[in-house]
Amino acid sequence: MLPDELTAPEAREHAVRAEEDLLTARHAVRADAVAAGFSIVDQTKIVTAASELVRNAYIHGGGGTMTIAVVRDRRGRAGLALSVRDEGPGIGDVEQAMTDGFSTGAGLGHGLGGTRRLVDEFTIDTAPGKGTTVTVVRWKP
Amino acid sequence: MNAGAGLPILRLGDILISGLLSDLDDATALQFTGELTARISDEEIRGVILDISRLEIIDSFVARVLMELAATGRLLGARMIVAGMRPAVAITLSELGLGLTGVQTALNAEQAMELLGWRRPVEAAEEAPRAS
């Protein structure tokens, strides 16, 4: 976790501890996607990705934190970056977890693999006992 | 009457009509399917129309709930038609890799009614005597 002074000024943190936090997190991502000027399709994709990630953190990770940041690449293109981390058991076999149809929870097993298709950049940092952090970026076309 | 999910479920003959709101949380989704399934069975329902035109996202959890509800309804002898999916939601769902297998869809609630055999009685309505 970055110390406060290193966090981008636009970055906002949202705790995911209870069922209602899933909705709050979705609202926050929607509001930031609207503010960043994303189209309705792009808003829907990033909010759906956020929904998958925060539910994963809530169900598999026992809760976590979502950070939303407005980012820019070198060409000045704006994007929305979401980072969802939990202190849960972590994922032993990431490749398996990314495979469509694989699920240990209540979903369809499309959570992680599907989320990767909804965003432009996707990184996952996890290991057993170490928790899981998934960071995604969707760039504004 | 709607002690469960708090979403209104209307009955027209042997058809139930309901709609999902933009802010569907997981617990509400599960309560709603329980309530709907019980009413399909108790009231000998033949068809269910679920208007989702206000639903802003369908993630893999909601997709699973819809697919299970359609499958359960079918086992009880009822058809479920999901109507009014927003284009952005359809695009996102297909990118997620979810086709809502086994769920019949319609462009809007009126088309869903037609799929269940209801016809808008245009001429009859025009010829019907008006209350003065």
Side-chain angles (χ1 to χ4, degrees):
Chain A
M1 186 173 150
L2 294 170
D4 284 341
E5 62 270 24
L6 291 181
T7 309
E10 303 93 340
R12 275 183 285 277
E13 287 206 346
H14 300 269
V16 181
R17 298 273 164 235
E19 176 97 32
E20 54 264 34
D21 294 335
L22 303 183
L23 281 188
T24 311
R26 263 150 58 170
H27 288 173
V29 174
R30 171 80 66 178
D32 284 352
V34 170
F38 278 88
S39 72
I40 188 76
V41 172
D42 285 333
Q43 288 170 34
T44 305
K45 286 180 181 176
I46 190 91
V47 176
T48 305
S51 184
E52 300 287 351
L53 295 178
V54 295
R55 186 183 289 105
N56 274 350
Y58 177 65
I59 292 172
H60 302 291
T65 308
M66 176 182 72
T67 306
I68 314 175
V70 177
V71 291
R72 281 189 188 279
D73 67 5
R74 288 194 204 98
R75 291 182 288 147
R77 185 173 58 159
L80 208 56
L82 308 179
S83 184
V84 179
R85 68 170 183 278
D86 66 59
E87 308 296 324
I91 301 170
D93 188 339
V94 175
E95 277 312 305
Q96 187 189 35
M98 296 294 297
T99 306
D100 276 359
F102 179 80
S103 175
T104 56
L108 274 168
H110 286 242
L112 279 180
T115 301
R116 179 157 62 175
R117 288 194 289 274
L118 294 178
V119 295
D120 297 310
E121 285 169 40
F122 181 103
T123 52
I124 183 165
D125 181 16
T126 184
K130 191 173 154 280
T132 301
T133 301
V134 180
T135 303
V136 301
V137 181
R138 180 142 189 119
W139 296 107
K140 208 175 133 185
Chain B
M1 211 169 120
N2 295 309
L7 295 168
I9 301 174
L10 314 179
R11 184 178 162 171
L12 282 182
D14 51 8
I15 292 175
L16 293 179
I17 303 181
S18 190
L20 298 178
L21 304 175
S22 58
D23 270 347
L24 184 68
D25 64 71
D26 295 8
T28 303
L30 293 176
Q31 278 170 25
F32 177 74
T33 59
E35 200 177 329
L36 208 53
T37 307
R39 287 193 59 178
I40 289 171
S41 166
D42 295 347
E43 302 175 28
E44 298 179 21
I45 294 301
R46 184 172 61 87
V48 176
I49 296 173
L50 198 53
D51 183 285
I52 59 161
S53 57
R54 293 180 70 178
L55 201 56
E56 290 180 343
I57 67 156
I58 295 182
D59 59 19
S60 57
F61 177 82
V62 174
R64 191 191 76 140
V65 166
L66 291 177
M67 287 160 66
E68 285 184 355
L69 182 56
T72 308
R74 203 156 44 237
L75 289 173
L76 295 172
R79 268 165 91 185
M80 186 184 74
I81 302 177
V82 166
M85 186 185 297
R86 295 182 181 199
V89 172
I91 291 167
T92 303
L93 258 185
S94 91
E95 208 150 305
L96 257 180
L98 298 169
L100 290 191
T101 314
V103 181
Q104 194 170 8
T105 53
L107 196 56
N108 52 46
E110 191 172 11
Q111 285 195 4
M113 291 292 283
E114 285 180 12
L115 286 170
L116 290 173
W118 285 58
R119 291 284 180 276
R120 183 163 50 164
V122 181
E123 288 175 26
E126 282 169 0
E127 287 167 10
R130 288 167 187 272
S132 49

